[in-house]
Amino acid sequence: MFKPSTKTAVTTAAAIAFVAAAALPHAAFAADVLRIGAPLALTGGLADEGKKQEAVWQLWLDKLNAAGGVKVGDKTMKVEIIKYDYQTDGKRAGQLAEKLITDDKVDFLTAPFGSGHTKIIAAVTERYQVPLLACVASSESVYDQSFKYLFGTLAPNSGMTDAMAALYKEKLPTLKKVAIYGRDDVFPKSMATSMATSAKAAGIEVVYNELYAVGTMDHSAAISAIKSTGADWIYMTGYTQDLILGRKQLNDLGVKAPIVTMVTGPAYREFTDGLGDLADGVTSSTWWHHATAYTGAAGVWPSTEAFYKDFTAAFKSDPDYVHASCAAAADVLVNAVQKAGGTDKAKVRDALEATDMLTFYGPIKFGPNHMNLGRDMPIIQVQGKDIKVLYPASIANAEMKLIK
C-alpha cells in the first residue's frame, strides 16, 4: 500500500524533499544504499502528472525493499529515492537536479514529466556524467542532442501519428480534412508537427495548423477558426487542463467533427472525470494500456496483470502509461546496476546502453539515440465511461465510434 514519505527537509524557495528509504541511520550516504534522485512537479501546472510519478515510484520502492532490496554482486542494497518539488518551474528543475547530484550525492536520476523539463535536466546530468532515466519524454528533439547519459522508456512520437492517420482513414473513408491545434511546448508541439506530417502523407489535407501559448485560458478564437474550415477531424495537443478546456469550448461553440482527438487526454483519469459525458468519443494515443498482457517480465512485477493488481489495490483506480513507464524505468535502472555489478556511473551507463529486457510495461531496448525502439503503441477512445483500445489488433477490444 502506498504511504507518503514522512521525512522532509526544506530547501531553497520552499521546495520540499521527501526521502523514502529503509529505516537506516544516515541512509542517504550509506554505501549499501542505491540512491536515486527525482526532481518532480508536485505543485504548479504539471502537479497531476508529477504526483503520478511520485505515487508509482513509492509503490515500486515499497515492494522492492519489502522483498529485501536489490542483489548486486555479493551484497544486497536497499533503494532510496530523494524527491524534490520543482513547482513546475523549468529553471528550478535544473537547479534541484544539480543539488541532488552535488549535495545529496545521488547515484542516478529520473526525469520529471514532459520533454521540455527532461531536456533541461539532461543538460545537467550530462555535465556531471550521471545516468538519467526519462519515463515521460517522447520528443525526438530531446534525444537528438547527443546526450550520452540520457535514456528514455517511451518510443518516438512519429509511431503514434502514422498509425492514427492510417486507422482513421480506414474507419472514415470520407476523411479529407484535419485541423491541428497544439500547445507551444516541447512534447505537444512535436506531436502536432508529427501529426501534420503523417496526415499529409496519408492524403489528408491540413486545413488548420496553429499553436497556443502555455497558460492560454481561452481557445474560443482558435476554435471559431477551426469551425470555419469544416474539418472532419480535430486534433488537439496539450496537457490535461488544456484539453479539458478545449473540449468544453468546442461544445460551447457548437463545433462538431466525426473525429476529435486529444493527446494525451483520455490516457488520464482526470480528463474523463473532468469532462463527464463530453469525453465520450474522444480518441487519443498512448504508450501503454493495462489490457496488454506481458508475462515472464524482469523487475518488481513479473507480468502486466501483477502490476495492475497491486496498483488498483493501492489506489482504487486504473494505472495509465505514466505510471507504467515510470515504474518500468526504475526496473531498467536497477537491472543496469545489477549488470554493472555496482553503482559506478560509467559502467551503469554502458549497461543501460546494452539493455534488452522485457518488463511488465513491455520490451525495452534502447536505440542509437537512447529512445526505446518503436513498437505498436495503443490508440484509445472514450466509449461511455470506459477507455477502449482500438489499435493494435493484438490488444484491441473495441471498434472505433464516430462522434455524431
Side-chain angles (χ1 to χ4, degrees), residues 16-218:
I16 305 297
F18 302 86
V19 180
L24 297 174
H26 308 296
F29 299 99
D32 56 351
V33 175
L34 169 60
R35 299 173 297 275
I36 302 172
L40 291 171
L42 301 177
T43 56
L46 294 178
D48 287 345
E49 290 80 2
K51 288 176 182 177
K52 290 183 179 185
Q53 293 178 277
E54 179 189 35
V56 81
W57 279 329
Q58 188 67 52
L59 184 70
W60 173 87
L61 184 70
D62 288 347
K63 192 171 183 69
L64 185 74
N65 283 339
V70 180
K71 184 70 174 177
V72 180
D74 60 356
K75 65 180 179 180
T76 299
M77 303 181 73
K78 291 289 187 177
V79 178
E80 172 184 306
I81 298 178
I82 303 174
K83 297 172 281 186
Y84 287 98
D85 177 13
Y86 71 88
Q87 303 170 325
T88 315
D89 182 319
K91 182 178 180 180
R92 186 186 303 280
Q95 292 169 341
L96 290 176
E98 187 162 18
K99 173 181 169 53
L100 283 161
I101 295 169
T102 59
D103 292 353
D104 296 298
K105 308 297 182 184
V106 298
D107 298 299
F108 314 107
L109 267 78
T110 56
F113 183 90
S115 295
H117 292 165
T118 292
K119 193 171 186 177
I120 291 170
I121 289 175
V124 176
T125 56
E126 194 71 15
R127 187 165 73 250
Y128 287 96
Q129 299 185 339
V130 175
L132 172 66
L133 264 292
C135 54
V136 270
S138 63
S139 301
E140 288 94 328
S141 63
V142 178
Y143 299 87
D144 65 5
Q145 309 297 305
S146 300
F147 290 135
K148 294 181 179 179
Y149 287 81
L150 171 66
F151 297 84
T153 50
L154 294 186
N157 296 334
S158 57
M160 287 186 173
T161 56
D162 289 345
M164 187 173 279
L167 178 68
Y168 293 177
K169 283 279 286 186
E170 175 187 336
K171 299 301 181 182
L172 182 64
T174 58
L175 175 57
K176 300 293 184 184
K177 298 185 288 186
V178 62
I180 299 172
Y181 184 47
R183 172 175 162 133
D184 193 3
D185 202 351
V186 177
F187 166 71
K189 181 179 179 179
S190 68
M191 288 301 297
T193 300
S194 182
M195 190 70 258
T197 300
S198 296
K200 291 173 184 176
I204 303 169
E205 183 184 0
V206 179
V207 293
Y208 184 91
N209 189 4
E210 298 291 340
L211 299 173
Y212 61 91
V214 175
T216 296
M217 298 302 294
D218 183 5

Side-chain angles (χ1 to χ4, degrees), residues 289-309:
H289 190 272
H290 62 79
T292 58
Y294 295 107
T295 59
V300 167
W301 291 282
S303 66
T304 308
E305 182 181 4
F307 171 73
Y308 183 73
K309 181 179 178 181

Side-chain angles (χ1 to χ4, degrees), residues 250-300:
L250 283 170
N251 181 68
D252 292 344
L253 294 171
V255 182
K256 295 185 178 180
I259 303 172
V260 175
T261 300
M262 294 192 157
V263 176
T264 56
Y268 297 102
R269 184 66 176 266
E270 295 85 359
F271 179 85
T272 51
D273 285 350
L275 284 173
D277 292 343
L278 277 181
D280 190 34
V282 175
T283 57
S284 191
S285 49
T286 186
W287 288 266
W288 179 87
H289 190 272
H290 62 79
T292 58
Y294 295 107
T295 59
V300 167

Side-chain angles (χ1 to χ4, degrees), residues 238-254:
Y239 294 121
T240 307
Q241 296 306 316
D242 301 323
L243 301 176
I244 288 174
L245 176 61
R247 183 67 188 99
K248 286 179 177 179
Q249 291 194 309
L250 283 170
N251 181 68
D252 292 344
L253 294 171

